[in-house]
Amino acid sequence: RKEVEQDPGPFNVPEGATVAFNCTYSNSASQSFFWYRQDCRKEPKLLMSVYSSGNEDGRFTAQLNRASQYISLLIRDSKLSDSATYLCVVNPKKDTGNQFYFGTGTSLTVIP
Amino acid sequence: NAGVTQTPKFQVLKTGQSMTLQCAQDMNHNSMYWYRQDPGMGLRLIYYSASEGTTDKGEVPNGYNVSRLNKREFSLRLESAAPSQTSVYFCASSLFGAETYSNQPQHFGDGTRLSIL
């Protein structure tokens, strides 16, 4: 079983739509969770960390459900510039030598 | 505000040639990583270094070696390049080691695009 699993999409949504991505992780002892954004053939960039209480940054909301072992990312009022691949990232715990586990990414295209 | 710097940005090699990809970070991070990303696939960890003086294999270490030269620098070497190693290589770094450092993300360099003919 993969450490982190994501629906690859693609998600094609009109401008202004709300879209949500989910990601599941296998290690219940996982400590840290992140969403990254990756534009075509460029480096992944941190979009936001995911905290236990959930967190919001403008149009973006991230949530963590430890009981069901998934994290989610909600994008409201989608912009054309939101088109990218969104990567779910989990950092299990210190004992794993600080490895980070990446999902394969969910592709989003926002259509005019 | 350099962050993570990778060199070179592009390279074309012939099969059997060797080369070293360089990575340096100026954020005083103790953990560094090398990934490869192939078209349509996710990031795959090649090697990582949790702290200066240690290195460990990741998911796809065969055909590669690494050196953690000092806290700032972590290099990746291809001893005898093969076409299957054509890929985009990303270096990353993060802070690691104490409870107060939980939720510290990785920071990436902008990649080395390597083609092996």
Side-chain angles (χ1 to χ4, degrees), chain B residues 8-33:
Chain B
K9 294 197 186 316
F10 301 93
Q11 185 71 47
V12 179
L13 293 177
K14 294 181 179 178
T15 297
Q17 286 186 315
S18 62
M19 81 160 294
T20 300
L21 280 62
Q22 306 286 354
C23 175
Q25 53 88 13
D26 61 2
M27 295 175 283
N28 203 32
H29 287 169
N30 47 3
S31 294
M32 297 185 73
Y33 311 79

Side-chain angles (χ1 to χ4, degrees), chain A residues 33-67:
Chain A
F33 309 89
F34 310 93
W35 283 102
Y36 279 71
R37 170 197 170 122
Q38 186 174 28
D39 293 288
C40 187
R41 297 185 63 76
K42 294 197 171 182
E43 77 275 21
K45 292 184 178 178
L46 179 67
L47 180 65
M48 57 198 306
S49 299
V50 186
Y51 301 112
S52 297
S53 56
N55 47 302
E56 189 174 304
D57 183 2
R59 299 181 293 109
F60 299 85
T61 300
Q63 292 193 314
L64 168 64
N65 185 318
R66 284 192 182 272

Side-chain angles (χ1 to χ4, degrees), chain B residues 36 45-47 57-65 78 84-85:
Chain B
R36 62 178 287 176
L45 182 65
I46 304 171
Y47 271 93
K57 294 178 180 179
E59 181 185 356
V60 288
N62 291 344
Y64 304 94
N65 286 303
L78 286 69
S84 61
Q85 294 177 304

Side-chain angles (χ1 to χ4, degrees), chain A:
Chain A
R1 183 183 174 186
K2 291 184 179 179
E3 295 281 345
V4 179
E5 299 205 56
Q6 287 184 255
D7 179 351
F11 286 69
N12 299 314
V13 302
E15 272 187 291
T18 295
V19 62
F21 308 135
N22 285 333
C23 164
T24 58
Y25 60 94
S26 60
N27 188 334
S28 60
S30 295
Q31 292 188 335
S32 302
F33 309 89
F34 310 93
W35 283 102
Y36 279 71
R37 170 197 170 122
Q38 186 174 28
D39 293 288
C40 187
R41 297 185 63 76
K42 294 197 171 182
E43 77 275 21
K45 292 184 178 178
L46 179 67
L47 180 65
M48 57 198 306
S49 299
V50 186
Y51 301 112
S52 297
S53 56
N55 47 302
E56 189 174 304
D57 183 2
R59 299 181 293 109
F60 299 85
T61 300
Q63 292 193 314
L64 168 64
N65 185 318
R66 284 192 182 272
S68 300
Q69 294 181 212
Y70 77 82
I71 67 173
S72 64
L73 177 68
L74 183 77
I75 306 175
R76 291 180 299 278
D77 188 23
S78 298
K79 311 291 184 191
L80 295 176
S81 58
D82 294 334
S83 297
T85 297
Y86 291 83
L87 304 173
C88 169
V89 184
V90 175
N91 182 206
K93 56 181 179 178
K94 292 189 297 181
D95 292 347
T96 60
N98 206 32
Q99 284 195 58
F100 287 69
Y101 293 98
F102 286 74
T104 53
T106 299
S107 174
L108 171 66
T109 301
V110 181
I111 305 164

